[in-house]
Amino acid sequence: MENHQIRSTPEPSLRRLARYLDLLHKLQKDGQISISSTQIGNELSSDPTQVRKDIEYTGIIGKPKTGYVISELIYAIETFFNWNNVSDAFLVGAGNLGRAILGYGHFKKYGLNIVSAFDVSPDLIGTEIYNIPVLDYEKLTNLSQRMKIHIGVITTPVECAQEVADKLIEGGIKAIWNFAPIHLKVPEGIIVEHTHLTQSLAVLTKNLHKQFLLDDKFSGEL
Amino acid sequence: MENHQIRSTPEPSLRRLARYLDLLHKLQKDGQISISSTQIGNELSSDPTQVRKDIEYTGIIGKPKTGYVISELIYAIETFFNWNNVSDAFLVGAGNLGRAILGYGHFKKYGLNIVSAFDVSPDLIGTEIYNIPVLDYEKLTNLSQRMKIHIGVITTPVECAQEVADKLIEGGIKAIWNFAPIHLKVPEGIIVEHTHLTQSLAVLTKNLHKQFLLDDKFSGEL
DNA sequence: TTTTTATCGAGAAAATTTTCTCGATATATT
DNA sequence: AATATATCGAGAAAATTTTCTCGATAAAAA
């Protein structure tokens, strides 16, 4: 009973694959037909071998000398992430960030279709944001059960995030994309992806700090 | 000339440290005085040894049996990231996402103070968003030079991101927080932190997919 | 047609990150 | 005061991820 898990793709590879996809869409628009790992590496400042290893996870096989056909590679990555089948999702918390996410119309290309937003504010309930209706938070559990929604996006203030998560799970949700800066406690088998911007800021400021030290200027200030 | 680099903190550790800080602020508000790596591990479902290793990077030393004094640990993490010294920053692109970031008032606690936003839209120029003035994009380079701004946040559409980055660098910016889904080409020594939500979505959907397969339901659909 | 060149894929090696182990020690309990 | 307990920090071991090496091969050039 040691290790029966499926050999799963490393998380860094998953993140890089998403970036390759962005690049591929762009190059395809520019009319390019095929691409090598070397070129991807050049474009994204990463190592060609690593690019090949990442791409291997999608199952596609390239050709020596030419690399991969862009359209096939796009299809392989999308299939790998199952982004050809779009999942409906609910978003809870129609504040600034929620609004920004509702306004970003491209998630459908990444398998996510937000069908309703929920909020407690009477001013918002009944309105539409970018054609997505804002409904009463009280109806969340009932609706997600009836509509068989599997993904919930939490963009509420941190104080209510755990309660919202509980409600979502009660309504049958399987995966939560959490933007509130709190670690959600969820039962086994529920997926949580925690996206908090201060984490990125931590990396940014630390690197900036390091760079300043390397530059040997500013050292007095730091 | 092999490896003269400063032994730098792993990026996953940086991200985790930011999460510890969130937790510590919360527990401090609840009146707790000290905390052990075991408790942090329980709260965030991570390994106590890993928590200790992460915390070691900040230089603080804990006590057996009791752990760390929360206020001291907060101070140590903030100092580690240099978040006690707030840096002024510019944001370019006052659309949905830009607005959301301007509206999130807590970045000051994480060392980032956005002093102005920039946009090309005449409707926006001259207005204020959450008390932050929106200025004409044309004035970007000039102002960032004069105000000695070192950090730029890009929340424009993907098409203009590279051009904006070039302008920011021309204006003397050292670090860019990029939300546009494109790999920016920048000269050596410029820090870029690329935050793109589809990367998180990649991880989320892949895990969800895997979970569904484990559950052995839905396999027909997938 | 033969040679050259660019790139793939696979396995090995290196580097990094996480997890394990354990002696030391501060606090609580007997 | 002596004993028990929880936790730290440091070094070792394990696991994971990245990078290197190289034979095979498809396309282009000679």
Side-chain angles (χ1 to χ4, degrees), chain A:
Chain A
M1 213 188 278
E2 270 292 78
N3 193 4
H4 289 284
Q5 260 190 291
I6 306 157
R7 223 281 175 276
S8 63
T9 315
E11 194 176 304
S13 294
L14 296 178
R15 294 186 181 275
R16 284 192 298 262
L17 280 166
R19 298 184 58 198
Y20 302 160
L21 193 56
D22 291 333
L23 176 67
L24 293 169
H25 278 307
K26 175 169 168 281
L27 294 178
Q28 192 179 46
K29 208 176 284 176
D30 295 350
Q32 197 174 320
I33 302 301
S34 61
I35 192 165
S36 68
S37 61
T38 314
Q39 195 192 344
I40 297 179
N42 285 343
E43 295 279 352
L44 305 181
S45 337
S46 56
D47 184 74
T49 312
Q50 184 174 67
V51 173
R52 282 204 296 280
K53 279 270 195 292
D54 290 341
I55 288 176
E56 249 182 273
Y57 289 111
T58 69
I60 198 175
I61 287 176
K63 271 192 202 169
K65 186 85 178 186
T66 50
Y68 312 88
V69 176
I70 290 183
S71 62
E72 290 174 6
L73 186 50
I74 289 177
Y75 184 76
I77 295 176
E78 286 180 346
T79 306
F80 174 74
F81 284 120
N82 197 36
W83 282 342
N84 301 305
N85 303 327
V86 177
S87 301
D88 287 343
F90 281 170
L91 178 144
V92 186
N96 288 309
L97 186 58
R99 206 173 282 267
I101 288 171
L102 295 174
Y104 184 75
H106 300 291
F107 286 137
K108 242 176 245 180
K109 283 195 289 186
Y110 298 87
L112 190 80
N113 180 36
I114 300 175
V115 292
S116 315
F118 291 83
D119 207 293
V120 289
S121 159
D123 295 345
L124 291 172
I125 295 168
T127 66
E128 287 198 345
I129 299 175
Y130 303 105
N131 296 319
I132 296 160
V134 182
L135 309 178
D136 187 349
Y137 175 63
E138 293 301 318
K139 296 182 182 145
L140 175 64
T141 308
N142 188 286
L143 273 173
S144 62
Q145 280 169 344
R146 273 175 35 205
M147 294 176 69
K148 295 208 192 328
I149 299 290
H150 293 138
I151 301 180
V153 183
I154 298 181
T155 48
T156 63
V158 64
E159 299 79 38
C160 10
Q162 181 64 58
E163 192 218 298
V164 170
D166 295 344
K167 272 256 164 57
L168 285 167
I169 293 164
E170 204 185 316
I173 251 142
K174 299 290 177 214
I176 293 174
W177 192 5
N178 174 38
F179 287 84
I182 185 178
H183 180 83
L184 299 175
K185 284 174 183 145
V186 298
E188 182 110 6
I190 303 291
I191 310 298
V192 179
E193 174 64 17
H194 184 274
T195 298
H196 192 44
L197 299 183
T198 52
Q199 289 185 18
S200 301
L201 205 43
V203 178
L204 179 84
T205 51
K206 194 64 199 174
N207 286 337
L208 182 60
H209 192 189
K210 198 177 16 173
Q211 188 62 43
F212 274 0
L213 291 174
L214 283 178
D215 286 354
D216 213 23
K217 306 162 190 174
F218 307 101
S219 15
E221 296 175 30
L222 308 170

Side-chain angles (χ1 to χ4, degrees), chain B residues 5-203:
Chain B
Q5 259 191 293
I6 305 159
R7 222 278 174 279
S8 64
T9 315
E11 196 176 302
S13 295
L14 296 179
R15 295 187 181 274
R16 286 192 299 263
L17 280 166
R19 299 184 57 196
Y20 302 161
L21 193 56
D22 290 334
L23 176 67
L24 293 169
H25 279 307
K26 177 169 166 279
L27 294 178
Q28 191 179 47
K29 208 177 281 176
D30 295 351
Q32 197 175 319
I33 302 302
S34 61
I35 192 165
S36 68
S37 62
T38 315
Q39 194 192 344
I40 296 179
N42 284 341
E43 295 279 352
L44 304 181
S45 335
S46 56
D47 184 74
T49 310
Q50 185 175 65
V51 173
R52 282 204 295 281
K53 279 269 196 291
D54 290 340
I55 288 176
E56 250 182 272
Y57 289 111
T58 69
I60 198 174
I61 288 175
K63 269 192 206 173
K65 185 83 180 184
T66 50
Y68 312 87
V69 175
I70 289 183
S71 61
E72 289 173 6
L73 185 49
I74 289 176
Y75 184 77
I77 295 176
E78 286 180 346
T79 306
F80 174 75
F81 284 120
N82 198 34
W83 283 342
N84 302 306
N85 304 326
V86 177
S87 301
D88 287 343
F90 281 169
L91 178 145
V92 186
N96 288 310
L97 186 58
R99 207 174 282 266
I101 287 170
L102 295 174
Y104 184 75
H106 299 292
F107 286 137
K108 243 176 244 181
K109 285 196 288 185
Y110 298 86
L112 190 80
N113 181 37
I114 300 175
V115 291
S116 315
F118 292 83
D119 207 291
V120 289
S121 160
D123 295 347
L124 291 172
I125 294 167
T127 65
E128 287 198 345
I129 299 176
Y130 304 105
N131 297 317
I132 296 160
V134 181
L135 308 177
D136 187 348
Y137 176 63
E138 294 300 318
K139 296 185 182 144
L140 175 65
T141 309
N142 186 286
L143 273 173
S144 61
Q145 280 168 344
R146 274 175 34 207
M147 294 175 69
K148 295 206 192 336
I149 300 290
H150 293 137
I151 302 181
V153 183
I154 298 181
T155 49
T156 63
V158 64
E159 299 80 36
C160 9
Q162 181 64 58
E163 191 218 298
V164 170
D166 296 343
K167 272 256 167 54
L168 284 167
I169 293 164
E170 203 186 316
I173 251 141
K174 298 292 178 212
I176 293 174
W177 192 5
N178 174 39
F179 287 84
I182 185 179
H183 181 82
L184 300 175
K185 286 177 182 142
V186 299
E188 182 109 6
I190 303 291
I191 310 297
V192 178
E193 173 65 15
H194 183 274
T195 298
H196 191 43
L197 299 182
T198 52
Q199 289 187 16
S200 302
L201 206 42
V203 178

